[in-house]
Amino acid sequence: MARYDDVVEGFTRRLAKTVTRRSILRSLGGFLVGAAGIPLLPVSRGRAERAAEPDETSCDYWRYCAADGFLCACCGGSATACPPGTESAPVTWVGTCRNASDGRDYIVSYNDCCGKSSCGRCFCNRNEGDRPAYSPATANDYNWCAGSKAGVPYHCTVSRIVSVAPK
Ligand code: ABN
């Protein structure tokens, strides 16, 4: 037991000689400054940015590049779904839009949603690749609801990806 006491006493004396109050404060300060800097270190935010949801209600969304109409995402539907009480016209026009995040071109089908009066929100008229009316499949200034079972009232337009161009 006495031996154990001697060992502890020796250790404590050595510690007292080498470790000053100032050195303890210096170590503690260094630790705190280091810990504060950890959140500032560069981290890969790529995945978080890639996963960010696009704003379907913004006309700038890449898939609306050839749109001409009210965005269904602002009318109770989404970029791809007609709002309740309306239905998708079977005949449509198509555009080709580039998705900047993967650099690929997509064929997008712009289907009018029919059966209710005009939504009137988020009019989006970008017209990229729009062709004259004598080329209906690539002309967007038609009321495609004229051919739908739901009848002529045009409500809004959805934008559905049909295919992606091969690399
Ligand atoms: N295809 C959109 C649209 C609807 C009504 C009138 C013009 C264009």
Side-chain angles (χ1 to χ4, degrees):
M1 193 61 189
R3 206 173 133 60
Y4 176 76
D5 286 345
D6 291 345
V7 170
V8 173
E9 185 188 339
F11 175 76
T12 312
R13 284 186 188 285
R14 265 198 310 279
L15 200 65
K17 269 191 211 143
T18 52
V19 181
T20 61
R21 209 174 342 164
R22 189 172 293 177
S23 76
I24 292 174
L25 287 175
R26 199 181 313 124
S27 308
L28 192 64
F31 173 77
L32 290 177
V33 168
I38 286 172
L40 304 176
L41 292 176
V43 289
S44 169
R45 299 185 200 283
R47 193 182 302 181
E49 273 160 22
R50 269 196 301 280
E53 291 295 313
D55 181 2
E56 295 190 345
T57 64
S58 165
C59 190
D60 294 334
Y61 184 19
W62 66 269
R63 67 162 68 203
Y64 297 147
C65 80
D68 175 5
F70 302 113
L71 301 177
C72 288
C74 301
C75 306
S78 72
T80 54
C82 287
T86 66
E87 67 178 60
S88 189
V91 187
T92 174
W93 82 102
V94 295
T96 305
C97 301
R98 176 153 298 180
N99 179 354
S101 64
D102 64 7
R104 301 187 71 180
D105 293 322
Y106 292 79
I107 294 178
V108 184
S109 163
Y110 298 96
N111 292 71
D112 288 344
C113 296
C114 320
K116 276 183 173 177
S117 59
S118 269
C119 161
R121 286 190 289 278
C122 301
F123 180 62
C124 181
N125 194 23
R126 285 181 47 192
N127 298 334
E128 278 173 38
D130 181 31
R131 294 287 177 269
Y134 57 74
S135 175
T138 47
N140 64 15
D141 199 15
Y142 279 101
N143 181 352
W144 292 108
C145 291
S148 82
K149 270 198 254 141
V152 176
Y154 161 76
H155 191 62
C156 61
T157 304
V158 291
S159 309
R160 297 178 180 140
I161 307 296
V162 177
S163 64
V164 58
K167 275 191 184 165

